[in-house]
Amino acid sequence: MHRATKAFETAAVFIIALCIGCGAPRDQAEKSASDRRFFSVGTAPPGGAFFVVGGAIAQVVNDHRGDLYWDVSAEATKGTQENIRRLVSGELDFALANAAISYFAVRGEGAWGQKQGINTVMTLAPNIALFITPENSGVKTIADLKDKRVVVGPAGAGFEYFLQPILKAHGMTYDDFTPLHTPQAGAVDMLSDGSAAAAFLGGAVPTASITQAGASMDIHFIPFDASAKEALFRNYPFFSPATIPADTYPGQSEAFEGMNVGSMHLITRSSLDADTVYRFTRILYEHRADVVKKHPAGRAINPRNVIRHTGTPFHPGAVTYFKEIGIWPN
């Protein structure tokens, strides 16, 4: 009887130990679930660089989050203006944006009405844009756009935030021509069939729409006036010189001295905690080579470019990381 009792006690202890062992993973799983955080990265409609680069950023951070209980995903949006509004309202956590639009948003200028609470995380690829026209259109300068039909970007995309200063520097406004709103692919079709005399196109180089235009017709890159460029560089931090090397596009035999009209940059809402932004910045920067594998614009994630000021203040969490690795200016 004594031997049976001892056997029963041993079995009981073993069963209890098993139960304790079974309980530990469950507790840990419950803790993991409660600690899990979901982050969304706003991009833009499919077809452009924002959509691809934003998706790459989300995937890279998600893939390399380590022991962080993070779930990072990209979300297609209408672009910069929607991204800014949804960041401020808390519907997005990070987003891609054009630095020119962000510049006016943080100052509450233009249609924004009031200052928007956003910060830069890192500056990304330049947005090199210009007016192009069919070679036989007769349009050679920006002044020649007067009384013509000109594509100025998709409706609601915010191109006016950098186009209006460009036109003003050249002594023109939207009232001097008929502005047409259509996506870049549609703009090429309008140039081809003659329903538009010129179109303002661009993005990360090479831009697919300009490549398409150059492959289907002889095109002319309308130059920016030198004095106008100087005034823009002097008055707005998001404008900067940019050269499109020769042979970048079909039929382009010479380099084109253009402009960065507002870099793609990664932004977040000002209220997002510094530790989260620090960790997100560190993971993305340390694994930036993985972004390059998905889109050439990832090459802009480099020590010289990511800290470039475009007029929107950097988030303290990002600044902490950049100081830590020694690339933030003293």
Side-chain angles (χ1 to χ4, degrees):
M1 190 70 176
H2 177 71
R3 186 177 301 163
T5 301
K6 291 294 290 182
F8 176 80
E9 290 175 349
T10 301
V13 169
F14 179 71
I15 292 171
I16 291 171
L18 280 177
C19 290
I20 292 173
C22 291
R26 185 182 301 112
D27 293 342
Q28 188 174 14
E30 290 173 354
K31 182 179 185 298
S32 300
S34 64
D35 288 350
R36 185 169 294 279
R37 299 180 67 186
F38 296 88
F39 296 104
S40 53
V41 180
T43 62
F50 274 31
F51 180 79
V52 180
V53 176
I57 287 172
Q59 184 176 337
V60 168
V61 175
N62 206 51
D63 289 348
H64 297 283
R65 66 187 187 274
D67 59 358
L68 293 171
Y69 297 123
W70 284 10
D71 191 336
V72 185
S73 60
E75 181 176 343
T77 68
K78 294 180 180 179
T80 297
Q81 294 192 89
E82 178 184 332
N83 288 345
I84 291 174
R85 293 189 178 97
R86 293 183 63 190
L87 279 173
V88 173
S89 68
E91 297 175 53
L92 294 173
D93 304 293
F94 297 89
L96 293 183
N98 177 281
I101 302 174
S102 300
Y103 173 90
F104 291 104
V106 295
R107 288 162 179 77
E109 297 179 12
W112 292 103
Q114 60 183 14
K115 297 178 181 180
Q116 304 297 304
I118 57 171
N119 286 134
T120 297
V121 176
M122 59 177 64
T123 302
L124 301 173
N127 174 26
I128 302 176
L130 67 157
F131 287 103
I132 71 167
T133 184
E135 187 67 54
N136 60 4
S137 70
V139 177
K140 300 301 178 185
T141 68
I142 290 180
D144 292 335
L145 296 176
K146 187 173 177 61
D147 298 327
K148 301 293 194 300
R149 291 165 56 84
V150 181
V151 177
V152 294
F159 277 32
E160 66 272 13
Y161 284 100
F162 44 83
L163 251 180
Q164 287 181 347
I166 289 173
L167 291 171
K168 183 178 179 181
H170 288 83
M172 296 184 69
T173 71
Y174 273 31
D175 293 334
D176 291 312
F177 54 80
T178 302
L180 307 173
H181 296 280
T182 188
Q184 296 202 42
V188 175
D189 292 337
M190 296 182 78
L191 292 176
S192 296
D193 65 21
S195 56
F200 193 76
L201 304 176
V205 175
T207 301
S209 58
I210 300 179
T211 299
Q212 179 187 352
S216 60
M217 70 191 94
D218 292 331
I219 58 174
H220 170 63
F221 287 7
I222 301 175
F224 298 109
D225 181 79
S227 61
K229 288 197 294 185
E230 290 175 7
L232 292 167
F233 300 156
R234 184 171 58 250
N235 295 324
Y236 300 97
F238 54 83
F239 284 119
S240 61
T243 300
I244 300 177
D247 301 318
T248 298
Y249 296 108
Q252 182 206 348
S253 59
E254 298 180 358
F256 179 80
E257 299 303 322
M259 285 193 297
N260 174 9
V261 301
S263 290
M264 174 195 308
H265 67 160
L266 180 64
I267 61 175
T268 186
R269 60 179 181 274
S270 302
S271 60
L272 191 58
D273 66 280
D275 183 64
T276 294
V277 177
Y278 168 88
R279 291 171 182 265
F280 194 101
T281 306
R282 175 177 58 79
I283 295 169
L284 177 57
Y285 188 83
E286 289 180 353
H287 298 282
R288 57 194 182 276
D290 288 353
V291 180
V292 179
K293 295 175 183 177
K294 302 176 187 303
H295 195 286
R299 296 192 186 99
I301 306 178
N302 63 65
R304 180 181 58 84
N305 188 68
V306 292
I307 58 170
R308 193 165 62 83
H309 179 64
T310 58
T312 300
F314 278 77
H315 194 284
V319 173
T320 297
Y321 176 71
F322 294 142
K323 286 182 175 179
E324 184 178 282
I325 62 175
I327 66 173
W328 188 259
N330 296 324

